[in-house]
Amino acid sequence: MIRAKWNRWHRQLPIVFFLALNAIPFVALAQAPVESLHERIDRAVDAAGSGVSAPPAEDAEFLRRASLDLIGVPPTKDELNLFLADTSPTKRPQAIDRLLASGSFARHMAHVLDIMLMERRPAAAVTQDEWHQYLETSIRSDKPLNVLLKEILSADGVDAPLRPAARFYLDRAGEPNLITRDVGRIFFGRDLQCAQCHDSPLVDDYHQSDYKGLFAFFEGGTVVTRKEGDKDKSYFGERASGDISFESVFVKGKKHLTAARVPAAAELAEPVFHPGDEYLTPPADGVVPIAKFIRRQQLAEQATSGNNRAFNENWANRLWAHMMGRGLVHPVDMHHSSNPASYPEVLTMLGAELSATNFSIKGLLRELALTRVYQRSIDFPSSLAEKAVTATERLAKLDQDRPAMAARMEESQKAYEALKEKHQQAEASLVPVGDELTAARSKVVEIDKKLAEARKQVVDAQANVNRRKGALASLTEAIAQAQRVAAQIPEDKDLAASAAKLAEQSPRISAEIPTLEKVVAEKGAAVEAILPELTAVKQQMDGVVTRWQPLREPVRAIDAEVVSARQQMMDAVATLARHDERIRLLKTFVEFKQAEEARASSSVQVASAQSSMASAREQMADQAMAIAQKQLEIAQADEQMAQAQSDLARLEKERQTADESARLLGEAFALVESAKQSMVSDPRLTTMVTMLEEKTGQARQQVQSIASQMADAAARTTQATSLSQQAKDGFAQSLQENVKRFQGAVGVRSLLEQAQADALQLASKAGQVESKLQSEWSSDLTLAALKPLSPEQICWSILRITGIEDRYEQVERDELNKSAPLSEDAKKDPAQLAARELQIEQRAYEKLKSAVGGFIAHFAAASGQPQSDFFATADQALFVSNDGTVNSWIAPSAGNITDRLIGQVDPRAAAEDLYLTVLSRLPSEQEISDVASYLGRRASDKSAAAQELVWGLLTSAEFRFNH
Amino acid sequence: MKCDYACHQPDHLLARRRFLGTLSAGFVAGGLGLLTAPAAAAQLAKDQKRVILFNMHGGLSQLESWDPKPGTDTGGPFRAIPTSVPGIHISELLPQTAQQMHHLCIARGVNTAEDDHGKGAYMMVTGRREMPGADYPKVGAVFAKALSAEAASLPGHILIAPWGGGSRGNDAAYLGPNFSSISLGNGKPPANTARPDSIAAASDDARNDFRRKVNERFLSRRRTAITDAYTHSYEQAHAMMRERDSFDVTKESPSDQSRYGSHDFGRHCLLARRLLERGVSFIQVVHSNYDTHNENFNFHFEQLGEFDRPFAAFVADLADRGMLDSTLIVVLSEFGRTPYVNHLYGRDHWSKAWSVLLGGARIPRGTAYGKTNERGMEVVDGQVDHASLFHTYLQAVGIDSLGHFVVDGREIPVADPAAKPVEGLLT
């Protein structure tokens, strides 16, 4: 099947390629300076945008995006591989053309239009199939959008081929207020609901007269139900009516009136008919009335003529929103001047282009898909701060332009107010005559009714006469017959008597006839009597019309001026509002730049504080070493001192011993000397004296030596004391220095902490501004938007990815090949082959489409509510997690992705197949290794593991959104 | 009990079906944004406000319930009995409820001037008259939006009806499907909250871990409110699966189960108590059917016989558990029933003088507000209507009913701006 699809595509390639070559840049180059729409769009967006943009989407992302937008499903793996391998510079335009030419395009766009127009209301008057078929056929045959919408706006359901078009009205039960709201929203982009009872308190541009003007088209709408066969069939007819008179619930007693009015256009000029004369086919039971002047016809024609700006821009905006994920005007049903388009010039351009290109849906979508804006990625651009420089300049320029714009706006407001005042005055004099006209009209209705009643009486009376006359004729015949029978059988007296009896009746009945005829005449006279009365009230009404007309026309004329002044005012207001919006956006950008700069400068400060901190730490380390040195010195000096002191103590002891020895020797010497004097000759004494003398000398010497040693030790002590003192001083100094440096370091640290806190705060501020910028840029085309898949897209994408679609198509192909095999010639005819493929797809689609119901039930907004708002609820996640639907689709089945994962032994190939099939892109190296380890861990349970991987990707945000 | 009512005209059936349709099933990512003051928001987070609404489907007769007129030609055969509040009498069909009257408050002067089932029901649950082209959220969606914490694991808007079930209702209008009701048809848990047998718990964990990892990579490219909402929906789903027991009333004690009764309505009341205790913001319990165009007295005898005991047990339990101050109780219908009795011993639709029962939260205890005349033909004092009652419900749990919802940049009044809360029904 994939192969077959690819073949089909491939066969078309040369043609498509040829077309693409012709259609895109070459025509523009060769033929002259006709700039294509997509180029003009890009130029306008570049000129007015933020000055930066997301980088272009990569090929895989582009193809997934375009496929989902144009045919509702992602590309198949084969399509994607071929696209990625293609090196042609025009491969994107080619892909767009291929998608637009695909059979699925019409079906997908039919879904899109269906949801847009019906908002999932239940199908009652027209089946969902008929309706869808109608839309799909219209798109497949390239019916211009305005033609399709004209059919819908003017539909009454009578014309069989166009009957489905009446679903818009019929499945809203013909309710005029509901239809007014939805036609306003869906066809003109204006939700006038809040202007139903008074001018909208929320939107300056939505007036009660706008609501009532649109309401006038549907006020007379009437659903006519007829029994046809065994079914009730309903039609949407229209009863004629006049101007609508209304008052605001806030300003009671001040009446206004309006004729039917297409939004943003002047009032309709309507012919005035006498009641009873308004119809070609008057209303009656089971009859769809046909008025001479059908308002809805006028609405359909005016709206779709190409000249109604509101209509053109609304539909251009809706198609834009379909592709870009968000309208230029958002929400798409809130076109008004305080909610200007993000790029008004682009909206104007698109509206005009849609009209100029004959409302070609394909044509516009193609141009949109070709824009660079469409092909941007979702990624936030990098190095923004540099690019923001120009924003400041742009901002200055915008600020400069503002006062003139504001002045223009005020001027236009004044002009509008003046005209509005004029209109109100004219209207005030018209209203009483309008009331008279209403009264005169009801008088005519009343007499007309009386006349109809009288005429009916004539008819009834005449019928009476006719009945009598008929009876008389029958009687006369019966008499003749009876007389003939009596004559034929004269002996039967009874017969003659009967004949006579019959004959007796005749005069009585004959006599009654004139009486009855008189009644006819009387009733006839009564009719005659009413006729002049009718003529009189009609004349009366004509008289009022004659007075009314000259008042009505100026009101209409002033109204036309009001409409145009209002449009100018709205444009001026919108221009200023958009200008202010642009200023706001640029301010965020500038704010971002400043925040980024602050963040950058704060990180510089952090770095510098960090380096100061490092040097302070170094200095503290140095000082610690100095302190240690001084401590060492002190210790050394103290040690020296201790040594000297201990020397001194020892020497003192020695000195004392020596002193004692010297004293004892001296005493001994003196004793021996005196002994010698007494015993001179004793030589031993002489020897002893000599010896003692010598000894004493020695002792004295020793004492001296010790004294000198002691002096030395004392000197050493002094020196060591001074050294110690010095060292202690140095130590104290170092300590002081240390305290200083520590204090310095503490200061540096608190600076660092401050800088870090500042940096954190600035980073968070920058982060905030960045996310603000991201969200603003998400809505102004700087970044591509994330588009949630519709319930249909989710369902059909999963059916395709899990191979269910393939399987069903294969069954249909086999079936068709058996029941209606193609001839050999047909097999060679691309057109016939394509038709066959379409037929196969269609048949598979029919069989599978009931599966969508479960997805609609969970993923779609409630019936009758806008369907474009994203929401995520737990019941959706529970449905995908625990319901059988998705779980059974991802079960392994011959050749589907789960099956292939189980069979694949090369983890890289498995990962690539998985990501290409489910997420339409190649996996990163990290993702490959994740898949490899996932499957590796679960080798014994590969089937479950494969299903888990497929489920995990199918439920990822990357799958849930088109990006 | 199967009722065969006279009211079988296609209009009625259609209206009834539409009513059901609008009341059937969403989940909540909510607000707290509407509270009257930030202080109130803090208080509420601590002492979360809740609302329970009993919908007496088909139209409860005020004469056989809250506003009996014994001894008059309209009063019917039943007597009035004294209640726990001296001076307040209610029908003898509600003996147990009578003993809880000191917690409750009867609004006896309800005049809604709408005798059509569909339209009356619409008015009572939206606080506004139906208008073509306009669509308003039902009361449960409003409370879910205003009261539910964003991170709540259980849905904030629950509907317990004898029918249907499992799915999300179409009743949140512009507030969006996050606030639509989740219906527990006949007390069954919400759909798909049980993991299928075919998927092992480990396998489910593994695939979800893989999903988270894949998300992390993608969200590092671009993360927005809608991607957050999407990833959060899976976490919410898992929380609901974990807390599936919250929906299992058989986990309540056997004595409670027997106190509430084994019939559907008894189980539904007990389930409601269980869910309120687990922080669900709004629950509507439907008791059907009261559309008694014939045999009014027999049917009320049976229906209220079923209603009385579990309802009284429910009120008493809330009071015992200290939940009454934070929980608003409302018992309403689409309208009341005619004082006159028709030839089928029935009472028909009657909206100009009927009653709504209130209790808890800021509602004054043990009072009757408003009065009808002797035969119950008209309101003579304290007249209220659907719109002023709607304001009152909101104010009773601290929501500024005069405030606005902001939807897609549009300001939409929370309640009908032409009406005001009923001061006499608020303390």
Side-chain angles (χ1 to χ4, degrees):
Chain A
M1 152 67 228
I2 293 174
R3 185 48 50 190
K5 248 183 195 163
W6 166 243
N7 283 342
R8 197 167 73 247
W9 174 23
H10 200 253
R11 268 192 303 280
Q12 286 168 356
L13 263 187
I15 308 165
V16 170
F17 186 61
F18 174 75
L19 286 175
L21 283 182
N22 264 306
I24 319 153
F26 294 87
V27 167
L29 283 179
Q31 280 192 352
V34 181
E35 202 182 15
S36 66
L37 178 64
H38 68 269
E39 287 167 316
R40 282 182 283 145
I41 291 171
D42 281 329
R43 202 155 46 79
V45 170
D46 286 346
S50 50
V52 284
S53 58
E58 292 186 0
D59 277 346
E61 194 157 70
F62 162 78
L63 191 64
R64 181 179 193 263
R65 181 185 297 174
S67 298
L68 281 166
D69 287 338
L70 296 175
I71 62 169
V73 284
T76 63
K77 192 176 75 165
D78 292 1
E79 285 166 351
L80 187 60
N81 276 331
L82 281 164
F83 184 73
L84 295 178
D86 190 348
T87 53
S88 156
T90 55
K91 68 177 181 177
R92 289 194 182 191
Q94 283 175 47
I96 292 166
D97 286 330
R98 173 179 64 80
L99 290 166
L100 288 169
S102 125
S104 312
F105 170 75
R107 190 186 307 131
H108 174 56
M109 285 313 292
H111 282 310
V112 171
L113 283 180
D114 166 23
I115 295 162
M116 212 181 275
L117 289 163
M118 294 313 297
E119 301 187 321
R120 302 192 189 278
R121 289 176 185 278
V126 173
T127 65
Q128 182 64 29
D129 280 349
E130 289 165 338
W131 166 245
H132 188 86
Q133 192 57 41
Y134 164 70
L135 293 173
E136 190 177 327
T137 312
S138 299
I139 293 163
R140 207 179 289 292
S141 64
D142 284 330
K143 185 188 284 178
L145 182 60
N146 63 335
V147 174
L148 174 67
L149 296 172
K150 186 174 170 184
E151 288 171 0
I152 290 171
L153 282 176
S154 58
D156 56 11
V158 176
D159 185 13
L162 289 181
R163 174 156 180 86
R167 186 174 169 221
F168 184 85
Y169 294 130
L170 291 174
D171 279 348
R172 286 174 172 83
E175 211 305 309
N177 286 297
L178 178 58
I179 290 175
T180 303
R181 188 192 77 162
D182 283 354
V183 168
R185 287 174 51 227
I186 297 167
F187 288 79
F188 297 95
R190 288 149 199 240
D191 183 353
L192 300 171
Q193 175 60 26
C194 289
Q196 185 175 341
C197 313
H198 42 72
D199 288 353
S200 168
L202 304 173
V203 178
D204 287 347
D205 289 347
Y206 294 172
H207 299 173
Q208 194 181 7
S209 58
D210 297 329
Y211 185 91
K212 295 292 178 186
L214 187 56
F215 179 75
F217 287 108
F218 311 110
E219 174 205 31
T222 171
V223 176
V224 177
T225 305
R226 286 202 291 245
K227 196 111 191 144
E228 291 181 15
D230 54 351
K231 274 199 232 150
D232 279 341
K233 204 165 173 187
S234 55
Y235 301 89
F236 194 51
E238 180 178 315
R239 286 171 186 270
S241 46
D243 282 349
I244 291 206
S245 141
F246 61 94
E247 63 179 17
S248 163
V249 293
F250 296 146
V251 193
K252 299 263 189 202
K254 188 164 185 194
K255 275 174 78 177
H256 303 277
L257 46 80
T258 181
R261 174 208 300 280
V262 180
E267 284 178 292
L268 231 58
E270 280 186 56
V272 181
F273 295 103
H274 289 137
D277 292 344
E278 310 101 320
Y279 295 100
L280 296 172
T281 308
D285 265 3
V287 173
V288 184
I290 302 173
K292 288 178 182 160
F293 183 88
I294 303 173
R295 284 184 179 172
R296 265 195 303 119
Q297 199 60 45
Q298 299 291 321
L299 168 70
E301 273 162 28
Q302 276 199 24
T304 63
S305 66
N307 297 322
N308 185 288
R309 202 176 121 185
F311 178 90
N312 298 349
E313 291 185 357
N314 166 62
W315 286 102
N317 189 53
R318 282 174 179 273
L319 291 175
W320 175 279
H322 171 71
M323 294 299 281
M324 307 292 180
R326 187 184 164 97
L328 289 158
V329 173
H330 171 88
V332 291
D333 56 4
M334 289 302 269
H335 284 251
H336 61 86
S337 50
S338 314
N339 182 37
S342 50
Y343 295 84
E345 51 289 344
V346 174
L347 184 59
T348 311
M349 195 188 292
L350 285 177
E353 182 83 5
L354 186 62
S355 160
T357 54
N358 197 24
F359 287 86
S360 163
I361 298 174
K362 241 182 218 179
L364 194 72
L365 294 183
R366 181 177 184 277
E367 286 298 315
L368 296 183
L370 286 172
T371 58
R372 274 184 280 114
V373 168
Y374 178 75
Q375 297 187 20
R376 279 174 185 172
S377 79
I378 58 165
D379 301 305
F380 202 58
S382 54
S383 26
L384 276 177
E386 300 158 27
K387 293 170 185 156
V389 179
T390 57
T392 322
E393 294 160 22
R394 284 166 183 246
L395 197 53
K397 174 84 174 69
L398 290 181
D399 281 338
Q400 202 183 340
D401 292 346
R402 197 182 183 285
M405 287 176 139
R408 268 201 298 284
M409 183 193 84
E410 267 174 43
E411 215 170 282
S412 69
Q413 275 173 335
K414 271 188 209 137
Y416 166 72
E417 292 299 337
L419 277 166
K420 177 101 189 148
E421 179 65 37
K422 198 169 142 198
H423 180 266
Q424 286 195 352
Q425 280 166 10
E427 190 189 41
S429 47
L430 172 64
V431 164
V433 190
D435 287 348
E436 270 185 67
L437 183 59
T438 309
R441 195 193 293 271
S442 25
K443 195 80 193 156
V444 177
V445 171
E446 185 195 319
I447 305 296
D448 208 31
K449 209 166 152 194
K450 204 164 113 187
L451 181 67
E453 181 54 35
R455 283 197 165 126
K456 186 165 174 292
Q457 286 184 13
V458 175
V459 170
D460 290 350
Q462 188 59 52
N464 265 344
V465 171
N466 292 348
R467 265 200 303 281
R468 287 292 146 161
K469 282 186 173 166
L472 189 62
S474 310
L475 186 63
T476 312
E477 201 180 311
I479 293 167
Q481 188 71 19
Q483 284 171 345
R484 261 201 308 283
V485 174
Q488 276 165 3
I489 318 172
E491 62 277 15
D492 193 332
K493 298 293 179 217
D494 284 351
L495 282 177
S498 296
K501 200 152 197 178
L502 275 176
E504 273 168 32
Q505 302 299 320
S506 177
R508 188 177 56 80
I509 290 174
S510 311
E512 276 173 15
I513 288 172
T515 321
L516 290 175
E517 279 178 334
K518 205 171 140 205
V519 174
V520 173
E522 276 166 18
K523 298 288 179 193
V527 168
E528 290 307 314
I530 295 170
L531 279 175
E533 211 181 326
L534 183 65
T535 314
V537 291
K538 279 189 175 171
Q539 275 169 357
Q540 224 167 23
M541 180 175 154
D542 291 343
V544 180
V545 171
T546 330
R547 279 187 294 122
W548 176 82
Q549 209 87 43
L551 292 169
R552 187 67 184 92
E553 277 321 307
V555 173
R556 208 186 301 282
I558 299 167
D559 175 70
E561 288 178 60
V562 172
V563 167
S564 129
R566 190 171 158 204
Q567 186 61 55
Q568 279 175 25
M569 174 184 75
M570 276 161 37
D571 285 346
V573 173
T575 306
L576 186 66
R578 170 55 189 158
H579 193 81
D580 285 345
E581 176 65 10
R582 207 166 278 173
I583 289 175
R584 195 177 66 79
L585 286 170
L586 277 174
K587 275 189 175 152
T588 310
F589 195 9
V590 172
E591 195 189 341
F592 171 76
K593 175 182 168 247
Q594 286 161 350
E596 273 300 309
E597 281 167 359
R599 167 157 65 177
S601 101
S602 81
S603 41
V604 169
Q605 271 172 11
V606 168
S608 119
Q610 270 165 343
S611 108
S612 312
M613 188 70 214
S615 96
R617 283 220 171 88
E618 219 167 90
Q619 282 180 15
M620 273 176 51
D622 287 352
Q623 195 55 28
M625 265 166 70
I627 288 171
Q629 177 62 36
K630 292 292 171 208
Q631 275 172 330
L632 190 68
E633 283 172 18
I634 292 171
Q636 277 170 351
D638 284 354
E639 199 180 323
Q640 278 172 18
M641 191 156 72
Q643 184 63 46
Q645 274 166 347
S646 112
D647 285 355
L648 208 54
R650 178 181 47 82
L651 287 169
E652 175 65 21
K653 248 186 210 151
E654 282 180 19
R655 189 182 59 91
Q656 278 174 12
T657 315
D659 267 0
E660 186 64 15
S661 305
R663 190 183 60 81
L664 289 175
L665 279 173
E667 276 174 20
F669 175 71
L671 282 176
V672 175
E673 180 69 16
S674 67
K676 186 188 142 199
Q677 296 225 335
S678 33
M679 300 162 58
V680 173
S681 57
D682 193 341
R684 277 179 303 180
L685 284 175
T686 308
T687 312
M688 204 179 279
V689 165
T690 313
M691 191 185 74
L692 280 171
E693 202 173 8
E694 197 180 327
K695 280 280 176 205
T696 305
Q698 277 175 355
R700 283 194 183 125
Q701 261 174 10
Q702 194 179 358
V703 167
Q704 258 173 14
S705 146
I706 289 172
S708 121
Q709 276 183 47
M710 280 181 73
D712 176 55
R716 274 194 289 130
T717 304
T718 313
Q719 197 190 359
T721 307
S722 123
L723 269 179
S724 169
Q725 194 54 50
Q726 263 176 23
K728 277 180 181 153
D729 288 350
F731 180 69
Q733 246 174 23
S734 290
L735 275 184
Q736 249 174 11
E737 176 63 22
N738 194 40
V739 167
K740 222 164 79 191
R741 290 190 183 183
F742 181 75
Q743 280 168 348
V746 166
V748 172
R749 192 177 63 188
S750 92
L751 280 179
L752 175 64
E753 278 168 357
Q754 186 59 48
Q756 277 169 336
D758 286 354
L760 214 63
Q761 204 193 354
L762 288 167
S764 121
K765 163 92 171 137
Q768 276 168 18
V769 181
E770 182 175 321
S771 68
K772 185 172 154 200
L773 197 60
Q774 271 207 31
S775 107
E776 284 174 359
W777 281 359
S778 301
S779 20
D780 90 332
L781 305 174
T782 303
L783 318 176
L786 294 180
K787 290 174 278 197
L789 304 193
S790 70
E792 285 80 0
Q793 282 176 315
I794 298 174
C795 177
W796 290 110
S797 299
I798 301 180
L799 283 169
R800 167 173 271 210
I801 286 164
T802 53
I804 307 282
E805 188 191 46
D806 272 357
R807 209 156 71 202
Y808 273 69
E809 289 186 355
Q810 195 51 50
V811 169
E812 295 306 322
R813 182 171 297 106
D814 295 347
E815 167 72 28
L816 276 173
N817 285 346
K818 217 182 288 169
S819 65
L822 288 177
S823 67
E824 286 310 312
D825 284 349
K827 282 182 189 161
K828 287 173 200 147
D829 177 3
Q832 289 199 49
L833 283 174
R836 171 55 64 101
E837 279 306 316
L838 189 60
Q839 195 185 2
I840 290 167
E841 269 180 43
Q842 200 65 40
R843 287 168 64 137
Y845 169 83
E846 289 301 324
K847 298 231 164 97
L848 280 168
K849 70 181 180 190
S850 62
V852 184
F855 290 83
I856 292 175
H858 290 88
F859 290 92
S863 154
Q865 299 292 334
Q867 298 290 317
S868 51
D869 297 339
F870 177 79
F871 68 96
T873 52
D875 67 337
Q876 299 171 342
L878 289 167
F879 170 71
V880 177
S881 302
N882 298 333
D883 182 81
T885 312
V886 174
N887 286 324
S888 72
W889 292 350
I890 59 176
S893 146
N896 77 352
I897 176 63
T898 316
D899 189 44
R900 297 201 299 273
L901 282 182
I902 297 168
Q904 181 55 265
V905 285
D906 173 13
R908 169 172 292 269
E912 287 185 357
D913 192 359
L914 175 67
Y915 273 80
L916 282 169
T917 305
V918 185
L919 295 182
S920 309
R921 67 172 171 88
L922 281 165
S924 68
E925 286 304 319
Q926 185 57 49
E927 285 164 336
I928 292 170
S929 102
D930 284 353
V931 169
S933 70
Y934 198 105
L935 290 171
R937 275 199 307 276
R938 304 282 298 280
S940 61
D941 193 14
K942 220 173 165 188
S943 168
Q947 292 180 62
E948 287 158 23
L949 289 173
V950 173
W951 187 90
L953 292 192
L954 282 176
T955 52
S956 68
E958 183 170 352
F959 180 80
R960 180 70 182 83
F961 299 97
N962 185 4
H963 39 84
Chain B
M1 181 186 79
K2 209 70 180 143
C3 295
D4 185 21
Y5 300 114
C7 198
H8 276 168
Q9 298 92 326
D11 263 6
H12 279 159
L13 288 177
L14 197 70
R16 211 172 301 161
R17 195 164 309 135
R18 193 184 315 146
F19 174 64
L20 300 184
T22 57
L23 288 179
S24 20
F27 296 94
V28 174
L32 300 185
L34 284 165
L35 296 163
T36 31
Q43 177 61 27
L44 190 115
K46 206 171 69 183
D47 181 14
Q48 193 214 329
K49 296 281 191 281
R50 283 153 289 212
V51 178
I52 173 117
L53 190 152
F54 292 90
N55 192 331
M56 311 296 265
H57 190 238
L60 169 68
S61 167
Q62 70 283 8
L63 298 152
E64 273 67 55
S65 56
W66 318 121
D67 194 13
K69 302 288 178 187
T72 68
D73 64 334
T74 56
F78 301 118
R79 290 175 307 146
I81 53 169
T83 65
S84 58
V85 180
I88 298 183
H89 288 64
I90 62 172
S91 169
E92 66 172 327
L93 298 180
L94 296 159
Q96 310 256 357
T97 304
Q99 290 315 305
Q100 303 300 328
M101 192 47 70
H102 54 292
H103 298 308
L104 301 167
C105 167
I106 308 172
R108 280 178 168 153
V110 183
N111 179 357
T112 46
E114 178 53 69
D115 289 339
D116 176 86
H117 282 290
K119 289 179 182 161
Y122 183 92
M123 284 160 59
M124 290 306 292
V125 296
T126 62
R128 314 197 201 213
R129 201 161 254 290
E130 218 169 354
M131 201 168 116
D135 193 7
Y136 293 104
K138 306 286 186 288
V139 57
V142 173
F143 280 118
K145 164 102 178 161
L147 296 180
S148 290
E150 204 146 329
S153 51
L154 293 176
H157 182 185
I158 295 265
L159 170 68
I160 307 175
W163 48 70
S167 54
R168 193 172 69 219
N170 175 5
D171 43 21
Y174 44 72
L175 296 180
N178 280 311
F179 306 105
S180 297
S181 60
I182 284 295
S183 109
L184 310 181
N186 201 16
K188 287 191 293 287
N192 296 320
T193 40
R195 182 169 43 75
D197 294 337
S198 57
I199 297 166
S203 185
D204 197 30
D205 290 345
R207 64 183 191 167
N208 277 292
D209 287 344
F210 181 63
R211 175 182 59 77
R212 289 189 195 98
K213 194 162 190 178
V214 174
N215 280 343
E216 237 169 71
R217 293 217 174 91
F218 181 71
L219 299 180
S220 69
R221 291 184 63 194
R222 183 79 169 273
R223 194 181 149 179
T224 69
I226 64 174
T227 60
D228 281 354
Y230 179 62
T231 52
H232 180 62
S233 69
Y234 278 82
E235 303 314 320
Q236 249 182 325
H238 291 136
M240 272 179 77
M241 289 167 69
R242 278 196 305 274
E243 294 181 32
R244 193 165 192 265
D245 268 2
S246 304
F247 303 99
D248 185 357
V249 81
T250 65
K251 293 282 191 296
E252 292 290 334
S253 73
S255 74
D256 274 353
Q257 292 187 51
S258 81
R259 228 158 37 86
Y260 277 74
S262 59
H263 52 73
D264 288 351
F265 182 71
R267 283 192 301 113
H268 296 170
C269 287
L270 188 54
L271 177 57
R273 190 191 81 183
R274 187 174 169 81
L275 290 168
L276 286 177
E277 283 176 328
R278 281 162 178 72
V280 171
S281 300
F282 178 92
I283 302 174
Q284 176 174 180
V285 179
V286 177
H287 195 218
S288 183
N289 181 318
Y290 288 89
D291 198 12
T292 51
H293 291 279
N294 59 2
E295 296 294 345
N296 171 72
F297 305 105
N298 288 346
F299 281 126
H300 273 81
F301 179 76
E302 286 183 46
Q303 285 286 91
L304 289 174
E306 189 175 87
F307 173 84
D308 185 43
R309 201 159 67 112
F311 176 72
F314 177 88
V315 174
D317 284 357
L318 250 51
D320 282 353
R321 283 153 208 245
M323 288 166 69
L324 211 50
D325 287 343
S326 59
T327 310
L328 170 72
I329 302 171
V330 181
V331 182
L332 55 67
S333 284
E334 53 265 55
F335 38 58
R337 306 212 75 85
T338 46
Y340 61 81
V341 178
N342 68 22
H343 68 289
L344 297 167
Y345 301 102
R347 295 189 193 268
D348 300 320
H349 304 171
W350 182 255
S351 58
K352 61 182 280 212
W354 58 292
S355 306
V356 165
L357 183 78
L358 299 163
R362 283 183 59 203
I363 304 296
R365 308 289 147 83
T367 53
Y369 178 85
K371 210 172 150 190
T372 51
N373 65 7
E374 205 173 311
R375 298 173 62 234
M377 301 301 286
E378 57 189 51
V379 176
V380 293
D381 183 36
Q383 176 162 308
V384 298
D385 65 5
H386 59 288
S388 57
L389 282 173
F390 196 82
H391 276 275
T392 309
Y393 308 151
L394 291 162
Q395 295 285 351
V397 289
I399 298 167
D400 179 8
S401 66
L402 304 166
H404 289 82
F405 288 120
V406 177
V407 178
D408 220 352
R410 297 174 227 198
E411 283 194 345
I412 304 170
V414 172
D416 185 348
K420 285 200 301 269
V422 183
E423 291 307 330
L425 284 172
L426 292 164
T427 51

